[in-house]
Amino acid sequence: RAAEDSLDYLANRGTGLGDCRQSDVDAWLAGARPDRHVARSFVRWTIAQELMPSLEFDPGPRAATAPALANTDRIALARRLLGVETIATRDRVAGLLIVLFAQPVSRVARLTVADVIIDHDTVSIRLGQSAITVPESLERHLRELVVDRRGSHAATIPTSRWLFPGGAPGRPINEQVLGRRLRQLGVECWPARRDAMAALAADIPAALLADLLGVHVVTAIKRAEIAGRPWGEYPTLRRGAQADRCDQPTGLRATIESR
C-alpha cells in the first residue's frame, strides 16, 4: 500500500519514477502519513533496478540512528577534513559538502563539473537553484578536484562530466562506495546531513535555505521549526525572495565561514 500510494503521490505531482528528485522524496517524508517511511523498501528496490535516480530516503524514527553531533563537534570534524593533508581531495570535498552544506551522499555522488563555477577570484557550486560562493578554505580543494579527478580509471577520460567519477567509465562514483570511504574518515552521512541542516536552519530563513541547498521547502521549514525559527516568516520571505536572491549565496557563505 505504501508503494502504491507513493507512486500515486508522484503522479499527482506530475513526476514519474525516472524523473523523481530528492525534493520529491523530501516532500513525501514531510507529510503526515504515519506509514510514509514504509515506502523506503520499495524506493530502495526501484533504485537498485535503476528505475529511479539514486536518492536518499530517511529510514524513519524506528530505525537506529547515530546520536546528534554537538555543533562544536561538527565544526571540529569539518576542520579535520580541511586540515589533514593525507585525506584524498575527493573525500575531503565530499565530506565537507555533507558536513557543512547538508547534502545527501546520493546528490554529492552525482555532482558534475558543470555544477562548479570557477572565476578568477571565487569558486561557486550549484546545489539548488542558486549557486553558493564557497569559503576560501574549501575553494582551493574544489579547484584542485576539478583539475585532477584521479582515483579511478574513469577519471582518466578527459570528457568525463562527473565531479566524482566512478570505477565504470562514464559513471559517477557509487553512493555506497562513497559513503564507506567517508565513514572511514568519521563522517556518518545521514546524521551529518541532519545536523548540518539543523545548524543552518537556525541562521538562514527556510525559503532561502531550500533555494540554496536543493531541498523541498517543507523539509526546510520543519528543520527551521526544530531550530526555533518561526514558520510565520515564510510567506513574507517568499514575496521578497527575488529581491534577496543576489544576497543568498553570500548569506550561506557568511554562516559557514563564521563557524
Side-chain angles (χ1 to χ4, degrees):
R1 286 198 301 270
E4 182 180 5
D5 290 341
S6 66
L7 288 173
D8 290 340
Y9 176 81
L10 288 176
N12 291 333
R13 291 171 68 91
T15 302
L17 273 178
D19 300 320
C20 186
R21 299 165 296 176
Q22 186 66 48
S23 59
D24 296 314
V25 174
D26 288 343
W28 167 263
L29 291 174
R33 293 177 57 93
D35 64 343
R36 60 192 183 278
H37 294 283
V38 178
R40 185 173 190 266
S41 296
F42 170 67
V43 170
R44 301 302 298 173
W45 178 82
T46 59
I47 291 173
Q49 300 301 313
E50 298 186 348
L51 298 175
M52 69 179 291
S54 182
L55 303 172
E56 186 172 284
F57 197 103
D58 179 9
R62 288 174 294 178
T65 57
L69 283 176
N71 197 48
T72 52
D73 295 334
R74 187 175 67 88
I75 299 307
L77 176 57
R79 287 175 175 164
R80 183 161 61 81
L81 289 171
L82 283 167
V84 177
E85 295 296 332
T86 56
I87 296 177
T89 300
R90 66 172 178 172
D91 295 341
R92 188 194 313 276
V93 172
L96 288 168
L97 289 175
I98 295 171
V99 172
L100 293 181
F101 294 97
Q103 291 300 291
V105 67
S106 58
R107 166 69 172 136
V108 172
R110 298 187 66 84
L111 286 172
T112 68
V113 175
D115 292 319
V116 181
I117 303 104
I118 298 179
D119 293 326
H120 292 295
D121 300 325
T122 61
V123 175
S124 303
I125 188 166
R126 191 177 300 279
L127 304 172
Q129 295 297 316
S130 300
I132 300 167
T133 302
V134 303
E136 292 182 5
S137 54
L138 177 56
E139 178 183 314
R140 172 172 66 89
H141 302 295
L142 261 176
R143 289 180 184 270
E144 179 182 338
L145 183 62
V146 169
V147 173
D148 187 7
R149 287 167 285 143
R150 289 182 296 191
S152 67
H153 65 265
T156 63
I157 302 176
T159 57
S160 177
R161 68 189 185 97
W162 303 109
L163 190 60
F164 300 94
R171 298 294 297 272
I173 189 171
N174 181 279
E175 66 171 282
Q176 294 180 347
V177 172
L178 182 59
R180 285 196 297 268
R181 292 179 65 94
L182 294 177
R183 280 195 293 274
Q184 292 175 357
L185 300 176
V187 179
E188 295 291 340
C189 296
W190 164 244
R193 183 199 178 205
R194 172 198 63 199
D195 299 337
M197 183 71 74
L200 292 172
D203 294 326
I204 300 174
L208 307 187
L209 195 62
D211 177 78
L212 289 168
L213 299 186
V215 299
H216 193 276
V217 69
V218 176
T219 299
I221 289 173
K222 285 186 175 293
R223 291 298 179 185
E225 289 174 346
I226 293 172
R229 192 94 182 185
W231 182 88
E233 69 184 351
Y234 173 66
T236 302
L237 288 165
R238 287 304 295 170
R239 286 196 294 270
Q242 287 288 40
D244 295 340
R245 188 175 297 277
C246 62
D247 294 330
Q248 291 171 14
T250 305
L252 182 54
R253 184 186 186 190
T255 298
I256 297 297
E257 288 177 334
S258 69
R259 297 182 183 279

